[in-house]
């Protein structure tokens, strides 16, 4: 079972437990119905396959049809998805399916705003690990649906030496040396810095990527000049729609933005049973 299926199973168990007492009390026998999911606002779609899996987990016999795909622009009142099957199954799956669609589409929609605001095609906008626990894969998929890119997925697939690593190791040089001695030679080493002295230390340690953390625009500009293409440069911290282009103008290669996931607002959708 992949991680998306695990998330869905947990969400359904959380919502249904031993069953849907309301639906099971009203509908004692199967009744075939069709339902549609309708947009109540404009947004960027994400999570359509996750929603389809929710309905199929509840009842594999349900027939699901998506009228749009992830990354599509949805307009208010458009029908994005339809389901035909036993009314009991539709109603039991409804809230969980909508929760996934609304949350993931919210992330895609916010990401698209950032992507459209960023007017420098040479700078890559990426997400972070600031995701909902258990939802990281699908939230990072939603970032891509919105036109953004992914940073490392987790602690195991990318080396990023942060301030607490440096404090515990004693110095940037020591931390980089220890990582180089043990980590796979194919992995790049990224070091987080917050001032010009640390930038120089990261350069001396031959870091592959230098993250400028919470530095102001002037400091970032000076850091990029000092680095001089000897390492890839990432900017992180205080990234918003208002600051995005000023940060990009400093010459950094990458901007990482936790807001893409942790500040996204769910979109508004409705499931309607058809007579």
């Amino acid at each position: 079972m992949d991680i998306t299926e695990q998330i869905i199973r947990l969400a359904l168990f959380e919502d249904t437990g031993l069953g849907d007492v309301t639906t099971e009390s009203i509908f004692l026998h199967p009744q075939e119905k069709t339902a549609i999911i309708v947009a109540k606002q404009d947004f960027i779609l994400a999570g359509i396959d996750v929603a389809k899996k929710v309905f199929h987990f509840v009842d594999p016999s349900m027939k699901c049809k998506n009228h749009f795909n992830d990354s599509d622009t949805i307009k208010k009142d458009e029908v994005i998805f339809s389901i035909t099957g036993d009314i009991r199954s539709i109603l039991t799956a409804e809230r969980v399916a909508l929760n996934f669609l609304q949350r993931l589409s919210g992330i895609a929609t916010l990401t698209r705003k950032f992507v459209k605001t960023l007017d420098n095609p040479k700078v890559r906008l990426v997400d972070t690990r600031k995701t909902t626990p258990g939802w990281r894969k699908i939230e990072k998929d939603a970032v891509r649906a919105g036109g953004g890119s992914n940073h490392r997925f987790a602690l195991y697939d990318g080396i990023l030496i942060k301030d607490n690593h440096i404090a515990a190791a004693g110095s940037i040089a020591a931390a980089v040396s220890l990582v180089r001695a043990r980590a796979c030679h194919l992995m790049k080493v990224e070091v987080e810095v917050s001032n010009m002295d640390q930038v120089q230390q990261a350069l001396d340690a031959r870091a592959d990527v230098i993250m400028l953390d919470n530095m102001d625009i002037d400091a970032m500009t000076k850091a990029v000049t000092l680095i001089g293409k000897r390492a890839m440069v990432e900017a992180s911290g205080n990234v918003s729609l208002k600051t995005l282009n000023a940060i990009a103008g400093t010459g950094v290669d990458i901007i990482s933005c936790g807001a893409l996931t942790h500040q996204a607002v769910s979109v508004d959708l409705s499931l309607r049973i058809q007579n």
Side-chain angles (χ1 to χ4, degrees):
M1 185 188 304
D2 68 21
I3 191 167
T4 302
E5 292 176 349
Q6 293 180 50
I7 297 167
I8 291 171
R9 286 190 183 277
L10 178 59
L12 285 169
F13 178 75
E14 176 185 56
D15 203 38
T16 63
L18 298 177
D20 179 353
V21 64
T22 306
T23 298
E24 292 166 6
S25 297
I26 296 172
F27 302 100
L28 302 181
H29 305 288
Q31 286 187 37
E32 184 172 288
K33 290 284 186 178
T34 295
I36 57 174
I37 295 177
V38 181
K40 298 175 74 174
Q41 65 177 88
D42 297 350
F43 63 90
I44 305 300
L45 181 62
I48 198 73
D49 288 337
V50 181
K52 186 182 295 185
K53 285 183 178 181
V54 171
F55 287 105
H56 283 155
F57 265 78
V58 171
D59 184 347
S61 70
M62 282 200 280
K63 298 176 182 178
C64 302
K65 180 180 180 181
N66 51 296
H67 304 280
F68 294 92
N69 297 306
D70 283 0
S71 299
D72 285 347
T73 299
I74 309 299
K75 297 298 183 181
K76 183 180 178 181
D77 295 327
E78 286 186 319
V79 176
I80 65 172
F81 196 79
S82 58
I83 317 101
T84 300
D86 187 349
I87 184 62
R88 297 172 298 180
S89 300
I90 293 173
L91 293 175
T92 298
E94 173 184 358
R95 176 42 53 201
V96 172
L98 288 177
N99 282 348
F100 279 114
L101 273 176
Q102 291 178 161
R103 167 70 181 156
L104 298 176
S105 294
I107 291 172
T109 301
L110 180 59
T111 300
R112 185 66 60 85
K113 288 181 181 178
F114 272 84
V115 170
K116 285 189 172 182
T117 299
L118 182 59
D119 62 9
N120 189 332
K122 295 181 179 180
V123 180
R124 175 176 288 190
L125 177 70
V126 305
D127 54 24
T128 70
R129 287 167 45 240
K130 295 177 181 178
T131 53
T132 306
W135 283 47
R136 182 168 297 163
K137 179 187 180 301
I138 58 176
E139 290 190 345
K140 282 181 171 283
D141 288 346
V143 168
R144 293 200 307 276
S149 299
N150 297 146
H151 204 289
R152 60 176 178 167
F153 181 81
L155 295 174
Y156 57 75
D157 68 335
I159 296 168
L160 175 48
I161 300 172
K162 296 177 72 67
D163 55 350
N164 285 327
H165 295 113
I166 295 166
S171 68
I172 289 175
V176 172
S177 178
L178 289 167
V179 163
R180 296 273 192 207
R182 293 170 176 80
C184 171
H185 67 284
L186 296 176
M187 283 190 171
K188 291 182 178 181
V189 175
E190 180 169 8
V191 177
E192 177 186 277
V193 300
S194 58
N195 57 58
M196 295 300 292
D197 182 55
Q198 289 183 333
V199 171
Q200 186 60 59
Q201 291 178 48
L203 284 170
D204 292 341
R206 298 184 182 278
D208 301 298
V209 186
I210 298 176
M211 176 192 286
L212 310 179
D213 184 52
N214 286 300
M215 295 175 69
D216 62 33
I217 298 300
D218 288 342
M220 277 193 279
T221 302
K222 292 176 181 177
V224 169
T225 300
L226 176 61
I227 294 166
K229 302 298 182 182
R230 286 178 286 175
M232 186 173 289
V233 185
E234 175 182 341
S236 182
N238 298 317
V239 179
S240 68
L241 290 169
K242 292 182 179 180
T243 63
L244 188 62
N245 283 312
I247 293 172
T250 65
V252 299
D253 302 293
I254 301 165
I255 299 176
S256 56
C257 180
L260 301 181
T261 50
H262 71 68
Q263 291 187 17
V265 177
S266 295
V267 304
D268 197 4
L269 301 172
S270 177
L271 184 144
R272 300 173 186 170
I273 303 296
Q274 304 297 284
N275 294 322

